[in-house]
Amino acid sequence: MTTWITICETCKRDDWAARGMEHTDGELLAAEIETRAGAAGVKTRRVACTMGCERACNIIVQGEDETGAAKMGYSLGKFDGTAEDAAAIVEYAALHAASPTGQVPFRTWPQGVKGHFVSRHLPLPTESDT
């Protein structure tokens, strides 16, 4: 069973230039997530774009079950790139990893991810589904 957090490292919030930032908001969020993910048993990867620019900062949580079958995945956005955001994202990803299907009951979601869900990604059908 592997769960991944894919982080858009090129995400910039609307006020990025005005804040005089040296690094993108996505880079800052990625660094914060990476410092926490290993201890939670979650893997990370950075990508150049998830095409959710109007909702920066964006991440995707995906995984597979113990047989290697894909679980439900989720895109989340509109994060500020803070340590608190990263902690909530990693906590949610750990709950996703523990779920056999990737679905996590709303009542167990960390407060920091509520209101940040953008879309759900259904696993591709298998041969037995067709």
Side-chain angles (χ1 to χ4, degrees):
M1 268 184 357
T2 305
T3 291
W4 287 85
I5 303 171
T6 300
I7 310 140
C8 178
E9 70 178 359
T10 57
C11 277
K12 298 174 187 168
R13 292 180 18 234
D14 289 341
D15 63 346
W16 181 80
R19 289 182 284 132
M21 300 295 292
E22 182 177 329
H23 297 282
T24 66
D25 297 302
E27 288 175 306
L28 299 175
L29 181 60
E32 292 287 348
I33 289 171
E34 289 163 349
T35 63
R36 294 162 173 76
V42 176
K43 296 187 179 205
T44 64
R45 67 177 176 162
R46 294 183 185 205
V47 297
C49 187
T50 61
M51 298 184 78
C53 302
E54 69 279 0
R55 319 176 258 289
C57 294
N58 297 288
I59 63 100
I60 301 167
V61 177
Q62 301 169 284
E64 55 189 27
D65 66 17
E66 63 280 345
T67 69
K71 294 181 181 184
M72 191 83 64
Y74 298 89
S75 294
L76 294 85
K78 291 190 179 179
F79 290 104
D80 293 329
T82 64
E84 293 79 15
D85 288 340
I89 291 165
V90 171
E91 184 181 347
Y92 176 80
L95 293 169
H96 181 274
S99 166
T101 63
Q103 293 179 299
V104 177
F106 178 79
R107 69 183 173 282
T108 65
W109 291 5
Q111 186 62 41
V113 299
K114 292 180 179 178
H116 292 274
F117 284 79
V118 174
S119 63
R120 178 171 65 170
H121 308 265
L122 302 173
L124 291 171
T126 63
E127 287 296 319
S128 62
D129 294 333
T130 56

